[in-house]
Amino acid sequence: TILIDDEALKRADAPLVCSNFFRLLRLHREVDASFVNHLLNYEYRRGAFNEFQTQTTNLRNLNVSDFLEKVEIAVAPFSEQRRIAAKLENVLAKVDDCQQRLRRIPIILKRFRQSVLVAACSGRLTVDWRCLDTYGDNDLPTSWNSVALGQLISEGPQNGLYKPASFYGSGTLIVRIDAFYDGMIAAWSE
């Protein structure tokens, strides 16, 4: 019996699988295991092995004897297998690196968006094309005014009376209370 605790899961540098369905296969010496591994991963991901699997209660079972008998793979000479596997390792490492960098993009964009909003709301975003305003005590350009939000609203807020959507004209769509039917939002209509 092997016990896998939370600490072992946290230390793992690759995805872990717990199953009693593993089969050990040892390859001939003339076959590079890394080459075969990459080839089988590719074929599996494109669905080539689905016909050899059955599924019950969310578990996939591989018919190993059919799989080994009927699956054919192209086998290059051993030296070429090693070169292909080495090249794949190199390229896939670059792919992994790119994926790591791409995962950070939403955070970078969020920070950038926040910086732009701060700059726009403080007047610093447009300072170069304005009259190079000076800044007052409230950290706003002296040509700007500071007013209560309520002073900017021409009508509203209101409750209970909703005019037809056509009354409001074009612009950004909003979800109104009458757009909900049976717990779902009705389709937008132009």
Side-chain angles (χ1 to χ4, degrees):
T1 300
I2 299 172
L3 299 177
I4 301 175
D5 62 2
D6 285 338
E7 192 59 36
L9 294 173
K10 289 176 191 171
R11 285 193 317 260
D13 59 351
L16 299 177
V17 176
C18 298
S19 176
N20 58 351
F21 295 101
F22 284 107
R23 300 288 176 105
L24 176 64
L25 303 174
R26 295 193 195 278
L27 301 173
H28 291 285
R29 289 185 194 159
E30 309 85 45
V31 180
D32 184 81
S34 182
F35 172 81
V36 173
N37 182 49
H38 286 299
L39 183 70
L40 291 177
N41 274 325
Y42 165 74
E43 294 292 345
Y44 174 78
R45 289 179 186 202
R46 70 178 197 89
F49 303 148
N50 290 347
E51 66 182 282
F52 302 107
Q53 298 179 65
T54 59
Q55 187 169 343
T56 57
T57 59
N58 290 329
L59 293 174
R60 286 186 177 188
N61 297 301
L62 181 67
N63 182 332
V64 178
S65 58
D66 276 357
F67 178 76
L68 295 176
E69 180 183 323
K70 296 178 182 174
V71 169
E72 291 189 14
I73 61 173
V75 181
F78 185 71
S79 60
E80 192 168 342
Q81 291 175 34
R82 295 190 78 161
R83 283 193 306 270
I84 292 170
K87 184 67 172 176
L88 274 171
E89 297 293 332
N90 186 296
V91 170
L92 292 176
K94 291 177 184 177
V95 169
D96 291 342
D97 186 48
C98 288
Q99 285 178 324
Q100 291 295 329
R101 291 177 185 195
L102 287 171
R103 284 189 193 110
R104 291 192 298 254
I105 288 176
I107 296 166
I108 294 167
L109 288 175
K110 184 177 180 179
R111 287 180 188 153
F112 177 69
R113 183 177 292 119
Q114 189 63 33
S115 297
V116 170
L117 287 171
V118 167
C121 293
S122 67
R124 286 181 170 77
L125 185 65
T126 58
V127 72
D128 58 334
W129 58 267
R130 287 185 286 113
C131 300
L132 296 177
D133 283 324
T134 58
Y135 284 79
D137 295 334
N138 57 2
D139 206 29
L140 292 176
T142 53
S143 64
W144 288 29
N145 294 319
S146 180
V147 297
L149 177 61
Q151 291 179 304
L152 302 177
I153 298 173
S154 63
E155 185 180 326
Q158 63 187 27
N159 264 338
L161 176 63
Y162 293 100
K163 297 174 180 145
S166 60
F167 175 83
Y168 298 103
S170 63
T172 303
L173 296 174
I174 60 169
V175 177
R176 299 171 0 140
I177 196 71
D178 62 346
F180 287 90
Y181 294 100
D182 293 327
M184 302 293 289
I185 297 175
W188 297 111
S189 59
E190 296 294 325

